[in-house]
Amino acid sequence: MATVRGARSGVSAAAAVLVSVLLVGGLVAGGEGAEIRRQKNVQVALRAKWAGTPLLLEASELLSKEWKDLFWDFIDHWKELDKGSDCLTAKCCAQKIVEDARTLLNEPLSSIFEFSLTLRSASPRLVLYRQLAEESLSSFPIDDSPEQISGHGTGENFDEAAGPSSSGGTCCWVDAGNALLFNSADLRGWLEGLGKLTMDSTEQPELFDFDHVYPRANVTAPVAILYGAVGTKCFKDLHVQLSEASKQGKVRYALRPVLPSGCQATSSFCGSIGAVDAVTLSGYGVELALKNMEYKAMDDTAIKKGVPLEDPKMEDLSQEVRGFIFSKILERKPELNAEIMSFRDYLLSSTVSDTLEVWELKDLGHQTAQRIVQASDPLHSMQEINQNFPSIVSSLSRMKLDNSIKDEIIANQRMVPPGKSLMALNGALINIEDLDLYLLMDMVHGELSLADQFIQLKLPQSAVHKILSAPPPAESNSFRVDFRSSHVHYVNNLEEDAMYRRWRSNLQELLMPVFPGQMRYIRKNLFHAVYVLDPASACGAETIDMILSLYQDNVPIRFGIIMYSSRHINAIEQSDGTPAENGEDTSILITRLFLYIKEMYSTQLAFQFLSNIYKSRNGEDYYNEEVVEAHHVEGAFVDSLLSTAKSHPQELLLKLQKENMYKQEAEESSSFVHKLGLNKLQCSLLMNGLVHESNEDATMNAMNDELPRIQEQVYYGHIQSHTDVLEKFLSESSYKRYNPSITGKSAAKKFVSLFASYHEENSVFNDIKYLQSSGTTDDAKPVTHLLAIDLSSKVGTKLLCEAIHYLMDGSNRARVGLLLYARNGSPLPVLLLKDIFDRTISSFSYKEKVLDFLHGLLKFYEAQPMPASSVAGDWTITMMERVYSLAAETSLPGDDYKAWFKSFSADTVVKGMDKLSDFLFGQLGLVFGSNAVITNGRVFIMNDEESFLANDLGLLESMEYDLRTKYIFEIIEEVEFPGVDPDDLTSQFYSDIAMLISSLMSARERPSERAHFEILHAEHSAIKLSNANSSIHIDAVIDPLSPTGQKLAPLLRILWKQIQPSMRIVLNPISSLVDLPLKNFYRFVLPSMDDFSSTDYSVHGPKAFFANMPLSKTLTMNIDVPEPWLVEPTVAIHDLDNILLENLGDVTTLRAIFELEALLLTGHCMEKDRDPPRGLQFILGTKQRPHLVDTLVMANLGYWQMKVSPGVWYLQLAPGRSADLYELPRKLIAIDSLRGKLMHIEVQKKKGKEREELLNAADDHHLQEKMDNNGWNKNLLKWASSLISGDASSKNKPDKITDRKDARQGETINIFSVASGHLYERFLKIMILSVLKKTQRPVKFWFIKNYLSPQFKDVIPRMAQEYGFEYELITYKWPTWLHKQKEKQRIIWAYKILFLDVIFPLSLRKVIFVDADQIVRADMGELYDMNLKGRPLAYTPFCDNNKDMDGYRFWKQGFWKDHLRGRPYHISALYVVDLAKFRQTAAGDTLRVFYEQLSKDPNSLSNLDQDLPNYAQHTVPIFSLPQEWLWCESWCGNATKARAKTIDLCNNPMTKEPKLQGARRIVPEWAGLDSEARQFTARILGDNLEPGEATPLPSETPKPDDKGTDQNVKDEL
């Protein structure tokens, strides 16, 4: 769209110029031209904390995400030193890298690659490799092993940010685990000696999932890791040697791309682009909000010096301004440049509005929608409006409204709330709150990558879109087992038994409300509780008694049992399905007698017999595990029948035994349970097929869980009086097998894509011939099982046997591919068996009786003992004979087998396994020696402990078909393949396509929620952009005049620019506004190729640029970054909290640079079947230093967070009570992207500790003692602070601490405060001085760093040194699940109260909060030592002796009066927190719960930091401090001022007096403290105070002097 809206006809363009010339002429003539040209801009950049990373290496990382082999192809492209020699600029290099990538990628993936490259999204991965490189070098100190280091430096001066240095001249090295090799000669020697060395596996370097391992490597070979950068002189030789050695199977070669500092000069022409410059990031928003200046809280100190920064970005003149495209006008009239630019400035700055009349607001949302949809580029128009809204609003409000747009918006708002925003990508809803550019690009890339692979499978575009948009079946939480059979014995029937005759049968009563816990007595079998039990076990006996008890209590459940014998099932498993006759089986006997009594007498009597067995033995209600013997059973049988039997029960027993009556039925019952897989649970309950534990509580809970499902079905009429509920549930959705490792929620289901392996040259799939059930070989199979089987293991041969059983039983939906391998040195029979199997399947898989042949061969093989090597020949002859006879029996050609035996060679079989090994252990990531089933990409690894039966394969087939394959197969079956020869459209083709697409889609991660966007009208009020060739479709509902709209508009626009997806965006503005919806300017920072210099090798990076901002409005800057980022300003000489551009003087552009200080590692910690383990402590570090940072788990969702930098870290439980009570294996965490990491962790208590509490007062005190004695712990935390967050005062302070600090004695007073803006930082310094002058004890200040200016952070370390105090900067990222505040002031208030339990180190026990604008007049040690009477918080109540303010005391009336119930309302300017008590009582969790409930109401918590603790004081008790601890003029009056221990400069709602004016008037010593602080600051920053500004340093307690104070006021002004 080259000309946008400005490309009007020649007449209109000329008219535009004429208007501008006339206007500008008039303005200049009026003498205002100079005023108009006084434009002021704002520019913001954001840099990563780490040193630059080479763009070339970033490109290789991005390509490896596409396909691992592309990484190596790209390395081969760039390994020559002269590559890129024709490029002399960074931009040329970047374009050359992209050109190379385009040869490897299809569109639109290549466009996404280019954008991701400019986005620098792979930079963190290279920082991770730097960390590993440093660890590699530091593991071999020069002094320890000079012969292994070959005399080269090891990078001892490693800097965490910059990476390993190249001291000693080495830029590449190979880490072989027991040696570092720095040149090709050393490497050659090491490779030659490999055969002679026996390497211990523990000596080998560790490989990670993210490592680049050379393709088709020998997984058993020694590991060699090359650290180096493609394009450096040393890289090519080492890489070529290692790749050749890898091809020969000598080594397993991994490459970690690292360009050590100092090696940039040795790299090729483009190799170091990006490595020298800071990594400037994009993908974030910057807001300049119009600030409410009610209390005029601005510093009056003038800015006196500039700061060298890059030139500001030039304005984009192609952007439309009020209907004009100035680039076009300037092209036509270049001679009028000055006048045209003046006119543009006038248009930009003349109409900034932060208020409108009510009638102007009425239709503003509809007018905005109209302006957007009628624009030639609607996405650009939406972005222009919501990012410059204060400048545009007045013109929007004057638009004439088209009623059709208004009517459609109102009609849509009957279905979606006004102002609501939603977005879906290919049908899947995206959580807009968490959305950022990096997440969106990852999601889009995932979809495009899938589409690209589908198209390679010859699928037409329409089918691709259909598959990507199809909703997969929801994974149901309810997994039902189909237990219907004759083996179920019910004790009752609610519909037929006489005892229930009086119950009502109206199902509608289910929908009537009842009291909690009350049961509904309805005469219908709604709940079928069937217990699966071994009647000879203790739990079986207990369950029987419970059933009879509940039955007698008239519980409205139909009770039944299925009995089995554990002994019988064990025999089945050990003898492969046919139990041997060996001795008497008590459980079988009980079952036989039960069946006899049931048939001959009654079911009730049969159940009574079961109950009598234990009673006759024990005579008590205690169930023990002693073995039940036959005579106990026989005794119970006699007792049960004595009163009712016609002949003596003893005779009946003999007859039963003699005739083996019911034995077959009893054994079949056990076999049935074995097939179901329920014997593993010992005793279990099936509630309508849902599996539960078998106790009474579980039974009642199961009924209550099932009730809502039945109520829903009754409500919709799906269950009626004649419906068989059990039949309905089990026929709709159930499985005939239970295996929690396949079905359970806790099962860590692993999926792999088979696409890459299928499409590579010489693929293993070319060799696979599939086995299928007899008679189905011509049918397409939606499910493919690939069985990776280690034939040298018993588990492997058992799995192979079960797979053949599974096919022999018949499956018309699945096929089986056998991937048979054997371990090194396997005996000859194993290799022979593999060879016969492979050849038979390869040649005869289509034959009818091939399964019988394989089954017979395997049975013979298993029955033969493994021969010694000396008699292997005899064994082979026996095997040959058996093969020939089996071939004859199954009509397979015996001659072929004779030929194969003659040509058999063990070496050939072993060599033939190389390709298979690479597929299984390299590509699929299986562990060598494991056995696995890969079902359409789902990897299920066999557990040696558990049996895996043919039924389990059937369960896998059913589950994968129902949940992940059925809907795909149905689409594939209807597809026409225009690009495929009809002869190739075989059943195998369709089966392969189904397998590949299912595996691709299974590995896809995406939300399951969906919305029906199609029901919304989109004729008049929607943006519709269509592209039939796109695989991406975006559905969205957006309020364009909302913060969400501000963020989404640029994201949608960049998507359209990069990949042209089809979009349907329904605009949903709020229909009747009462205030301006947006009071800010907004810029979203996006990268482009222009960020790379076209004159040299430098990289400038993207910036946010606000052109021509209003001069007289006070603005406050907020930075809107992705959730995982923690950022802070590092360069900004102006007050970013109070930007008044008219004060800039000659400076035209206010500039600020922020830094990405850390990424977030967050998580949710759960304890099985319990509440989250609140207070559980985690530590994070490296292997060498395990404790770098720590945190604790909140009760709220088990949430925790830590600050990290990119790297490989290890998470574990903190030593002490957490590690004593809980179990958690050490977890490896790789931080390698700008998206941080979210983890879900489940812990469990150690055996014997289940009832112990994690938090209690005694343990808390003990923990403190341990932490106090642990000096190493504190030092590590400080070191970690500088590594990961860079903020401990120890980092900034010099080694020598001044005498002034040494003079302070006693326990340290910890004081916490927060400030934002230069004025409050000025107050903060005064507060610090006032505290220090009144105490002789050591003081440590804790500041929330989020909003501190760079100047303050420069001054505070020097101030700490000068005045002898400690300080630490702390922060905590606002959790995503907690309701967010939008205004900066309210966010700051929230930080004062919401995160007190987690923002400080766990070792801190108490802290005092002091407002920045407070002056302290007493020793704070007195307050610090005060006894808080066991309460976690202590505040001062508001004083009430200034009667003039009575009208403002809201807590004396209405809601607050009722809520407080006589308790005082406290002021939040000063408070004490007993952190130990606060954490122990989970006060932080409680306050966050109250906050979450209250904050969603905009009328609640007007003074958030004050209202919240006062509201919660009934639950989180407050100790009321004596009144003199806080005095402020507004509320207290002058009578009590003399006794004040602290004075706070409270805002006065009556006078609204500016802060500075009030400070000078109210506090006599303030001016002296201010002067001292300002002179110190000026000295540190190199400023000179104006002569009038400097005042002599006062004494510590200056006398009030009105005249002096007035003079100061005059000087300041």
Side-chain angles (χ1 to χ4, degrees), residues 214-359:
Y214 199 76
R216 289 158 286 286
N218 176 0
V219 289
T220 57
V223 173
I225 300 175
L226 170 57
Y227 291 92
V230 63
T232 50
K233 290 174 184 171
C234 56
F235 175 82
K236 183 182 171 185
D237 289 347
L238 295 175
H239 166 69
V240 169
Q241 275 192 68
L242 283 167
S243 55
E244 282 304 316
S246 177
K247 286 173 190 170
Q248 293 163 19
K250 289 184 180 177
V251 294
R252 196 170 180 204
Y253 162 36
L255 169 58
R256 290 181 181 160
V258 174
L259 183 64
S261 55
C263 290
Q264 291 87 346
T266 71
S267 65
S268 63
F269 297 86
C270 292
S272 61
I273 300 297
V276 179
D277 307 281
V279 177
T280 305
L281 299 169
S282 49
Y284 62 95
V286 182
E287 171 195 68
L288 291 180
L290 299 167
K291 191 171 184 182
N292 179 353
M293 294 304 291
E294 188 180 8
Y295 288 96
K296 299 182 177 60
M298 275 188 76
D299 193 7
D300 57 6
T301 310
I303 299 288
K304 297 188 181 63
K305 70 172 193 174
V307 59
L309 279 171
E310 314 97 298
D311 291 335
K313 183 172 132 185
M314 292 303 293
E315 296 175 66
D316 184 359
L317 298 178
S318 65
Q319 301 288 319
E320 177 191 329
V321 179
R322 307 280 297 281
F324 296 98
I325 303 287
F326 279 88
S327 57
K328 296 289 168 190
I329 299 172
L330 285 168
E331 280 175 22
R332 291 174 172 79
K333 295 287 179 182
E335 69 278 6
L336 294 173
N337 182 69
E339 293 88 342
I340 290 168
M341 290 303 293
S342 294
F343 177 52
R344 181 175 183 275
D345 295 343
Y346 172 75
L347 291 178
L348 282 166
S349 62
S350 61
T351 55
V352 174
S353 181
D354 55 0
T355 56
L356 278 185
E357 301 299 340
V358 176
W359 58 87

Side-chain angles (χ1 to χ4, degrees), residues 437-467:
L437 181 61
Y438 296 90
L439 174 58
L440 181 63
M441 295 318 288
D442 279 356
M443 293 170 84
V444 167
H445 173 263
E447 297 294 290
L448 290 175
S449 185
L450 282 173
D452 184 59
Q453 292 170 86
F454 292 168
I455 286 164
Q456 289 183 51
L457 292 173
K458 305 290 192 293
L459 251 69
Q461 187 68 49
S462 57
V464 170
H465 183 67
K466 203 182 269 189
I467 290 173

